[in-house]
Amino acid sequence: MNRLAPSLLGCDFSCIKDQIQAVEQAGAHYLHLDVMDGAFVPSISFGMPLISSIRKCTGMVFDVHMMVQEPGRYAAAMKEAGADLFCVHQEACLHLDRTINQIKELGMKAGVAINPATPVSVLDCVLDQVDQILIMTVNPGFGGQKFIPYTLDKVKNLREMMNHRGINADIQVDGGVTLENAPLLLKAGANILVAGSSVFSGDPGANTKAFIKILNQYEAKA
Ligand code: DX5
Ligand code: ZN
């Protein structure tokens, strides 16, 4: 099913509760939460204290994108804070299979993310173990960057690989997603669109509705 995952990193943190509720009321099902450690990526964002606080004001699926070295260290604490889906970078896990099992044993959905320069072939062995693959469409670390065009082919190749093997996991795309490139991404085989600045700049509720309209159009065609 096609879904929008507004990325909280793009919101106005001075009125975070209003911003979360605006996207939820407009129909967003997921809330994408970007956790950065200043080591795997240059920047630092937020962690468990913020996530457990906002858990009280929304029923959306908490989709936690861990841009953190060895993210398995935080899986239990994130589950406790309210994470539903825990997505780790392939590049950040020395023992990826172990980390995926750890996430599933805690009762969370497991996602694996890859950077733009990482080929989809690295996912070969774990493809049937995960609920979601995240194809980064910018280099991770900051909101508001420009979509990297060659990542579109990675989405297509991954969907073909999965169809060929009869695997029906979600494909999420993250970075520089706009109302303009959303149709291309959905046609290529992505079904969860993460969007930070294009949801939270201007009117988050109206932007969410515009994205959901496109998602529904492509759902109908699928
Ligand atoms: C980037 C993060 C993204 C970011 C997307 O490292 O993973 O989720 O918030 O922001 P936009 O949609 O503005 O590119
Ligand atoms: Zn993200």
Side-chain angles (χ1 to χ4, degrees), residues 157-186:
N157 294 341
L158 176 64
R159 187 55 85 186
E160 273 164 24
M161 249 167 89
M162 289 188 356
N163 286 345
H164 184 68
R165 288 174 56 184
I167 296 170
N168 189 27
D170 291 320
I171 300 183
Q172 187 175 67
V173 283
D174 182 10
V177 175
T178 61
L179 289 169
E180 288 68 41
N181 61 24
L184 288 175
L185 290 159
L186 294 166

PDB file of all heavy atoms in Angstrom, residues 157-186:
ATOM      1  N   ASN A 157      15.369  -1.310 -10.104  1.00  0.00           N
ATOM      2  CA  ASN A 157      16.076  -2.594 -10.039  1.00  0.00           C
ATOM      3  C   ASN A 157      15.672  -3.391  -8.806  1.00  0.00           C
ATOM      4  O   ASN A 157      15.491  -4.609  -8.873  1.00  0.00           O
ATOM      5  CB  ASN A 157      17.602  -2.379 -10.031  1.00  0.00           C
ATOM      6  CG  ASN A 157      18.076  -1.802 -11.349  1.00  0.00           C
ATOM      7  OD1 ASN A 157      17.363  -1.898 -12.353  1.00  0.00           O
ATOM      8  ND2 ASN A 157      19.249  -1.184 -11.360  1.00  0.00           N
ATOM      9  N   LEU A 158      15.547  -2.695  -7.703  1.00  0.00           N
ATOM     10  CA  LEU A 158      15.168  -3.384  -6.466  1.00  0.00           C
ATOM     11  C   LEU A 158      13.765  -3.975  -6.588  1.00  0.00           C
ATOM     12  O   LEU A 158      13.535  -5.127  -6.199  1.00  0.00           O
ATOM     13  CB  LEU A 158      15.250  -2.418  -5.272  1.00  0.00           C
ATOM     14  CG  LEU A 158      14.797  -2.979  -3.938  1.00  0.00           C
ATOM     15  CD1 LEU A 158      15.695  -4.141  -3.486  1.00  0.00           C
ATOM     16  CD2 LEU A 158      14.795  -1.888  -2.856  1.00  0.00           C
ATOM     17  N   ARG A 159      12.820  -3.200  -7.133  1.00  0.00           N
ATOM     18  CA  ARG A 159      11.443  -3.730  -7.257  1.00  0.00           C
ATOM     19  C   ARG A 159      11.439  -4.946  -8.179  1.00  0.00           C
ATOM     20  O   ARG A 159      10.782  -5.942  -7.894  1.00  0.00           O
ATOM     21  CB  ARG A 159      10.479  -2.629  -7.730  1.00  0.00           C
ATOM     22  CG  ARG A 159       9.025  -3.031  -7.726  1.00  0.00           C
ATOM     23  CD  ARG A 159       8.536  -3.562  -6.364  1.00  0.00           C
ATOM     24  NE  ARG A 159       8.117  -2.533  -5.433  1.00  0.00           N
ATOM     25  CZ  ARG A 159       7.778  -2.776  -4.168  1.00  0.00           C
ATOM     26  NH1 ARG A 159       7.830  -4.003  -3.657  1.00  0.00           N
ATOM     27  NH2 ARG A 159       7.415  -1.785  -3.368  1.00  0.00           N
ATOM     28  N   GLU A 160      12.242  -4.872  -9.250  1.00  0.00           N
ATOM     29  CA  GLU A 160      12.317  -6.031 -10.165  1.00  0.00           C
ATOM     30  C   GLU A 160      12.901  -7.245  -9.442  1.00  0.00           C
ATOM     31  O   GLU A 160      12.383  -8.351  -9.543  1.00  0.00           O
ATOM     32  CB  GLU A 160      13.176  -5.703 -11.391  1.00  0.00           C
ATOM     33  CG  GLU A 160      12.367  -5.042 -12.495  1.00  0.00           C
ATOM     34  CD  GLU A 160      13.229  -4.371 -13.552  1.00  0.00           C
ATOM     35  OE1 GLU A 160      14.405  -4.764 -13.711  1.00  0.00           O
ATOM     36  OE2 GLU A 160      12.724  -3.432 -14.194  1.00  0.00           O
ATOM     37  N   MET A 161      13.991  -7.014  -8.702  1.00  0.00           N
ATOM     38  CA  MET A 161      14.618  -8.103  -7.937  1.00  0.00           C
ATOM     39  C   MET A 161      13.601  -8.746  -6.988  1.00  0.00           C
ATOM     40  O   MET A 161      13.512  -9.966  -6.873  1.00  0.00           O
ATOM     41  CB  MET A 161      15.733  -7.504  -7.051  1.00  0.00           C
ATOM     42  CG  MET A 161      17.150  -7.838  -7.410  1.00  0.00           C
ATOM     43  SD  MET A 161      18.261  -6.715  -6.490  1.00  0.00           S
ATOM     44  CE  MET A 161      18.516  -7.637  -4.983  1.00  0.00           C
ATOM     45  N   MET A 162      12.824  -7.906  -6.326  1.00  0.00           N
ATOM     46  CA  MET A 162      11.861  -8.419  -5.340  1.00  0.00           C
ATOM     47  C   MET A 162      10.727  -9.164  -6.031  1.00  0.00           C
ATOM     48  O   MET A 162      10.323 -10.238  -5.586  1.00  0.00           O
ATOM     49  CB  MET A 162      11.341  -7.272  -4.469  1.00  0.00           C
ATOM     50  CG  MET A 162      12.430  -6.800  -3.545  1.00  0.00           C
ATOM     51  SD  MET A 162      12.043  -5.595  -2.254  1.00  0.00           S
ATOM     52  CE  MET A 162      10.415  -5.173  -2.467  1.00  0.00           C
ATOM     53  N   ASN A 163      10.225  -8.602  -7.126  1.00  0.00           N
ATOM     54  CA  ASN A 163       9.133  -9.278  -7.855  1.00  0.00           C
ATOM     55  C   ASN A 163       9.596 -10.644  -8.337  1.00  0.00           C
ATOM     56  O   ASN A 163       8.871 -11.633  -8.226  1.00  0.00           O
ATOM     57  CB  ASN A 163       8.677  -8.432  -9.057  1.00  0.00           C
ATOM     58  CG  ASN A 163       7.855  -7.230  -8.596  1.00  0.00           C
ATOM     59  OD1 ASN A 163       7.396  -7.180  -7.452  1.00  0.00           O
ATOM     60  ND2 ASN A 163       7.679  -6.256  -9.472  1.00  0.00           N
ATOM     61  N   HIS A 164      10.820 -10.667  -8.851  1.00  0.00           N
ATOM     62  CA  HIS A 164      11.388 -11.900  -9.373  1.00  0.00           C
ATOM     63  C   HIS A 164      11.432 -12.988  -8.290  1.00  0.00           C
ATOM     64  O   HIS A 164      11.222 -14.174  -8.562  1.00  0.00           O
ATOM     65  CB  HIS A 164      12.798 -11.584  -9.895  1.00  0.00           C
ATOM     66  CG  HIS A 164      13.474 -12.743 -10.549  1.00  0.00           C
ATOM     67  ND1 HIS A 164      13.032 -13.268 -11.737  1.00  0.00           N
ATOM     68  CD2 HIS A 164      14.560 -13.482 -10.184  1.00  0.00           C
ATOM     69  CE1 HIS A 164      13.804 -14.284 -12.064  1.00  0.00           C
ATOM     70  NE2 HIS A 164      14.738 -14.437 -11.140  1.00  0.00           N
ATOM     71  N   ARG A 165      11.690 -12.571  -7.069  1.00  0.00           N
ATOM     72  CA  ARG A 165      11.789 -13.542  -5.965  1.00  0.00           C
ATOM     73  C   ARG A 165      10.482 -13.685  -5.182  1.00  0.00           C
ATOM     74  O   ARG A 165      10.440 -14.344  -4.146  1.00  0.00           O
ATOM     75  CB  ARG A 165      12.930 -13.127  -5.024  1.00  0.00           C
ATOM     76  CG  ARG A 165      14.298 -13.357  -5.664  1.00  0.00           C
ATOM     77  CD  ARG A 165      15.436 -12.823  -4.825  1.00  0.00           C
ATOM     78  NE  ARG A 165      15.467 -13.351  -3.473  1.00  0.00           N
ATOM     79  CZ  ARG A 165      16.330 -12.956  -2.540  1.00  0.00           C
ATOM     80  NH1 ARG A 165      17.245 -12.040  -2.848  1.00  0.00           N
ATOM     81  NH2 ARG A 165      16.297 -13.469  -1.332  1.00  0.00           N
ATOM     82  N   GLY A 166       9.433 -12.992  -5.628  1.00  0.00           N
ATOM     83  CA  GLY A 166       8.132 -13.086  -4.944  1.00  0.00           C
ATOM     84  C   GLY A 166       8.136 -12.432  -3.573  1.00  0.00           C
ATOM     85  O   GLY A 166       7.424 -12.857  -2.667  1.00  0.00           O
ATOM     86  N   ILE A 167       8.938 -11.377  -3.418  1.00  0.00           N
ATOM     87  CA  ILE A 167       9.015 -10.673  -2.129  1.00  0.00           C
ATOM     88  C   ILE A 167       8.222  -9.365  -2.241  1.00  0.00           C
ATOM     89  O   ILE A 167       8.392  -8.605  -3.188  1.00  0.00           O
ATOM     90  CB  ILE A 167      10.491 -10.372  -1.765  1.00  0.00           C
ATOM     91  CG1 ILE A 167      11.249 -11.690  -1.575  1.00  0.00           C
ATOM     92  CG2 ILE A 167      10.591  -9.483  -0.524  1.00  0.00           C
ATOM     93  CD1 ILE A 167      12.756 -11.522  -1.464  1.00  0.00           C
ATOM     94  N   ASN A 168       7.374  -9.154  -1.242  1.00  0.00           N
ATOM     95  CA  ASN A 168       6.491  -7.998  -1.327  1.00  0.00           C
ATOM     96  C   ASN A 168       6.753  -6.996  -0.198  1.00  0.00           C
ATOM     97  O   ASN A 168       5.823  -6.523   0.445  1.00  0.00           O
ATOM     98  CB  ASN A 168       5.028  -8.495  -1.305  1.00  0.00           C
ATOM     99  CG  ASN A 168       4.055  -7.392  -1.600  1.00  0.00           C
ATOM    100  OD1 ASN A 168       4.410  -6.431  -2.277  1.00  0.00           O
ATOM    101  ND2 ASN A 168       2.836  -7.503  -1.075  1.00  0.00           N
ATOM    102  N   ALA A 169       8.018  -6.670   0.065  1.00  0.00           N
ATOM    103  CA  ALA A 169       8.337  -5.705   1.133  1.00  0.00           C
ATOM    104  C   ALA A 169       8.104  -4.277   0.625  1.00  0.00           C
ATOM    105  O   ALA A 169       7.973  -4.048  -0.582  1.00  0.00           O
ATOM    106  CB  ALA A 169       9.797  -5.890   1.554  1.00  0.00           C
ATOM    107  N   ASP A 170       8.043  -3.353   1.575  1.00  0.00           N
ATOM    108  CA  ASP A 170       7.886  -1.941   1.194  1.00  0.00           C
ATOM    109  C   ASP A 170       9.206  -1.382   0.688  1.00  0.00           C
ATOM    110  O   ASP A 170      10.273  -1.733   1.202  1.00  0.00           O
ATOM    111  CB  ASP A 170       7.447  -1.124   2.418  1.00  0.00           C
ATOM    112  CG  ASP A 170       6.019  -1.465   2.845  1.00  0.00           C
ATOM    113  OD1 ASP A 170       5.170  -1.646   1.961  1.00  0.00           O
ATOM    114  OD2 ASP A 170       5.781  -1.564   4.066  1.00  0.00           O
ATOM    115  N   ILE A 171       9.109  -0.495  -0.290  1.00  0.00           N
ATOM    116  CA  ILE A 171      10.290   0.266  -0.716  1.00  0.00           C
ATOM    117  C   ILE A 171      10.025   1.732  -0.383  1.00  0.00           C
ATOM    118  O   ILE A 171       9.076   2.348  -0.880  1.00  0.00           O
ATOM    119  CB  ILE A 171      10.607   0.110  -2.221  1.00  0.00           C
ATOM    120  CG1 ILE A 171      10.885  -1.365  -2.565  1.00  0.00           C
ATOM    121  CG2 ILE A 171      11.802   0.988  -2.607  1.00  0.00           C
ATOM    122  CD1 ILE A 171      11.278  -1.610  -4.022  1.00  0.00           C
ATOM    123  N   GLN A 172      10.881   2.251   0.491  1.00  0.00           N
ATOM    124  CA  GLN A 172      10.752   3.638   0.925  1.00  0.00           C
ATOM    125  C   GLN A 172      11.838   4.464   0.238  1.00  0.00           C
ATOM    126  O   GLN A 172      12.954   3.974   0.036  1.00  0.00           O
ATOM    127  CB  GLN A 172      10.943   3.677   2.452  1.00  0.00           C
ATOM    128  CG  GLN A 172      10.676   5.013   3.100  1.00  0.00           C
ATOM    129  CD  GLN A 172      10.773   4.942   4.630  1.00  0.00           C
ATOM    130  OE1 GLN A 172      11.843   4.723   5.167  1.00  0.00           O
ATOM    131  NE2 GLN A 172       9.667   5.131   5.314  1.00  0.00           N
ATOM    132  N   VAL A 173      11.504   5.684  -0.127  1.00  0.00           N
ATOM    133  CA  VAL A 173      12.515   6.609  -0.670  1.00  0.00           C
ATOM    134  C   VAL A 173      12.557   7.837   0.218  1.00  0.00           C
ATOM    135  O   VAL A 173      11.533   8.272   0.749  1.00  0.00           O
ATOM    136  CB  VAL A 173      12.224   7.005  -2.138  1.00  0.00           C
ATOM    137  CG1 VAL A 173      12.607   5.890  -3.092  1.00  0.00           C
ATOM    138  CG2 VAL A 173      10.778   7.418  -2.357  1.00  0.00           C
ATOM    139  N   ASP A 174      13.757   8.397   0.379  1.00  0.00           N
ATOM    140  CA  ASP A 174      13.956   9.461   1.373  1.00  0.00           C
ATOM    141  C   ASP A 174      15.012  10.443   0.890  1.00  0.00           C
ATOM    142  O   ASP A 174      16.171  10.065   0.686  1.00  0.00           O
ATOM    143  CB  ASP A 174      14.388   8.790   2.690  1.00  0.00           C
ATOM    144  CG  ASP A 174      14.596   9.780   3.831  1.00  0.00           C
ATOM    145  OD1 ASP A 174      14.237  10.961   3.684  1.00  0.00           O
ATOM    146  OD2 ASP A 174      15.114   9.337   4.875  1.00  0.00           O
ATOM    147  N   GLY A 175      14.581  11.702   0.732  1.00  0.00           N
ATOM    148  CA  GLY A 175      15.513  12.772   0.384  1.00  0.00           C
ATOM    149  C   GLY A 175      15.144  13.455  -0.915  1.00  0.00           C
ATOM    150  O   GLY A 175      15.126  12.831  -1.967  1.00  0.00           O
ATOM    151  N   GLY A 176      14.806  14.736  -0.806  1.00  0.00           N
ATOM    152  CA  GLY A 176      14.483  15.512  -2.010  1.00  0.00           C
ATOM    153  C   GLY A 176      13.216  15.064  -2.710  1.00  0.00           C
ATOM    154  O   GLY A 176      13.042  15.317  -3.905  1.00  0.00           O
ATOM    155  N   VAL A 177      12.319  14.410  -1.970  1.00  0.00           N
ATOM    156  CA  VAL A 177      11.054  13.964  -2.580  1.00  0.00           C
ATOM    157  C   VAL A 177      10.090  15.159  -2.625  1.00  0.00           C
ATOM    158  O   VAL A 177       9.916  15.876  -1.637  1.00  0.00           O
ATOM    159  CB  VAL A 177      10.439  12.782  -1.785  1.00  0.00           C
ATOM    160  CG1 VAL A 177       9.076  12.393  -2.345  1.00  0.00           C
ATOM    161  CG2 VAL A 177      11.391  11.574  -1.799  1.00  0.00           C
ATOM    162  N   THR A 178       9.503  15.357  -3.812  1.00  0.00           N
ATOM    163  CA  THR A 178       8.603  16.501  -4.021  1.00  0.00           C
ATOM    164  C   THR A 178       7.317  16.019  -4.707  1.00  0.00           C
ATOM    165  O   THR A 178       7.257  14.878  -5.185  1.00  0.00           O
ATOM    166  CB  THR A 178       9.253  17.543  -4.965  1.00  0.00           C
ATOM    167  OG1 THR A 178       9.489  16.896  -6.232  1.00  0.00           O
ATOM    168  CG2 THR A 178      10.572  18.080  -4.419  1.00  0.00           C
ATOM    169  N   LEU A 179       6.352  16.921  -4.806  1.00  0.00           N
ATOM    170  CA  LEU A 179       5.117  16.565  -5.531  1.00  0.00           C
ATOM    171  C   LEU A 179       5.443  16.292  -6.998  1.00  0.00           C
ATOM    172  O   LEU A 179       4.751  15.521  -7.653  1.00  0.00           O
ATOM    173  CB  LEU A 179       4.105  17.716  -5.434  1.00  0.00           C
ATOM    174  CG  LEU A 179       3.470  17.932  -4.054  1.00  0.00           C
ATOM    175  CD1 LEU A 179       2.703  19.244  -4.009  1.00  0.00           C
ATOM    176  CD2 LEU A 179       2.560  16.755  -3.694  1.00  0.00           C
ATOM    177  N   GLU A 180       6.518  16.911  -7.502  1.00  0.00           N
ATOM    178  CA  GLU A 180       6.886  16.746  -8.918  1.00  0.00           C
ATOM    179  C   GLU A 180       7.522  15.372  -9.189  1.00  0.00           C
ATOM    180  O   GLU A 180       7.212  14.738 -10.179  1.00  0.00           O
ATOM    181  CB  GLU A 180       7.867  17.842  -9.369  1.00  0.00           C
ATOM    182  CG  GLU A 180       7.241  19.232  -9.503  1.00  0.00           C
ATOM    183  CD  GLU A 180       6.816  19.836  -8.165  1.00  0.00           C
ATOM    184  OE1 GLU A 180       7.552  19.703  -7.159  1.00  0.00           O
ATOM    185  OE2 GLU A 180       5.715  20.429  -8.110  1.00  0.00           O
ATOM    186  N   ASN A 181       8.444  14.940  -8.330  1.00  0.00           N
ATOM    187  CA  ASN A 181       9.094  13.648  -8.634  1.00  0.00           C
ATOM    188  C   ASN A 181       8.368  12.444  -8.008  1.00  0.00           C
ATOM    189  O   ASN A 181       8.708  11.300  -8.301  1.00  0.00           O
ATOM    190  CB  ASN A 181      10.595  13.650  -8.280  1.00  0.00           C
ATOM    191  CG  ASN A 181      10.878  13.893  -6.805  1.00  0.00           C
ATOM    192  OD1 ASN A 181      10.035  13.639  -5.969  1.00  0.00           O
ATOM    193  ND2 ASN A 181      12.078  14.372  -6.494  1.00  0.00           N
ATOM    194  N   ALA A 182       7.350  12.692  -7.190  1.00  0.00           N
ATOM    195  CA  ALA A 182       6.620  11.580  -6.555  1.00  0.00           C
ATOM    196  C   ALA A 182       6.072  10.585  -7.590  1.00  0.00           C
ATOM    197  O   ALA A 182       6.256   9.368  -7.426  1.00  0.00           O
ATOM    198  CB  ALA A 182       5.499  12.123  -5.669  1.00  0.00           C
ATOM    199  N   PRO A 183       5.430  11.047  -8.676  1.00  0.00           N
ATOM    200  CA  PRO A 183       4.912  10.070  -9.652  1.00  0.00           C
ATOM    201  C   PRO A 183       6.001   9.168 -10.229  1.00  0.00           C
ATOM    202  O   PRO A 183       5.788   7.961 -10.379  1.00  0.00           O
ATOM    203  CB  PRO A 183       4.293  10.950 -10.749  1.00  0.00           C
ATOM    204  CG  PRO A 183       3.928  12.218 -10.048  1.00  0.00           C
ATOM    205  CD  PRO A 183       5.021  12.424  -9.040  1.00  0.00           C
ATOM    206  N   LEU A 184       7.179   9.734 -10.515  1.00  0.00           N
ATOM    207  CA  LEU A 184       8.286   8.933 -11.064  1.00  0.00           C
ATOM    208  C   LEU A 184       8.711   7.853 -10.082  1.00  0.00           C
ATOM    209  O   LEU A 184       8.974   6.705 -10.457  1.00  0.00           O
ATOM    210  CB  LEU A 184       9.508   9.822 -11.316  1.00  0.00           C
ATOM    211  CG  LEU A 184       9.450  10.792 -12.479  1.00  0.00           C
ATOM    212  CD1 LEU A 184      10.696  11.674 -12.488  1.00  0.00           C
ATOM    213  CD2 LEU A 184       9.350   9.987 -13.782  1.00  0.00           C
ATOM    214  N   LEU A 185       8.800   8.224  -8.811  1.00  0.00           N
ATOM    215  CA  LEU A 185       9.233   7.282  -7.773  1.00  0.00           C
ATOM    216  C   LEU A 185       8.211   6.158  -7.585  1.00  0.00           C
ATOM    217  O   LEU A 185       8.572   4.991  -7.427  1.00  0.00           O
ATOM    218  CB  LEU A 185       9.471   8.035  -6.463  1.00  0.00           C
ATOM    219  CG  LEU A 185      10.705   8.941  -6.499  1.00  0.00           C
ATOM    220  CD1 LEU A 185      10.637  10.025  -5.436  1.00  0.00           C
ATOM    221  CD2 LEU A 185      11.970   8.100  -6.318  1.00  0.00           C
ATOM    222  N   LEU A 186       6.943   6.521  -7.618  1.00  0.00           N
ATOM    223  CA  LEU A 186       5.891   5.505  -7.459  1.00  0.00           C
ATOM    224  C   LEU A 186       5.874   4.568  -8.665  1.00  0.00           C
ATOM    225  O   LEU A 186       5.752   3.351  -8.517  1.00  0.00           O
ATOM    226  CB  LEU A 186       4.520   6.176  -7.286  1.00  0.00           C
ATOM    227  CG  LEU A 186       4.368   6.981  -5.985  1.00  0.00           C
ATOM    228  CD1 LEU A 186       3.132   7.871  -6.044  1.00  0.00           C
ATOM    229  CD2 LEU A 186       4.272   6.051  -4.774  1.00  0.00           C
TER     230      LEU A 186
END
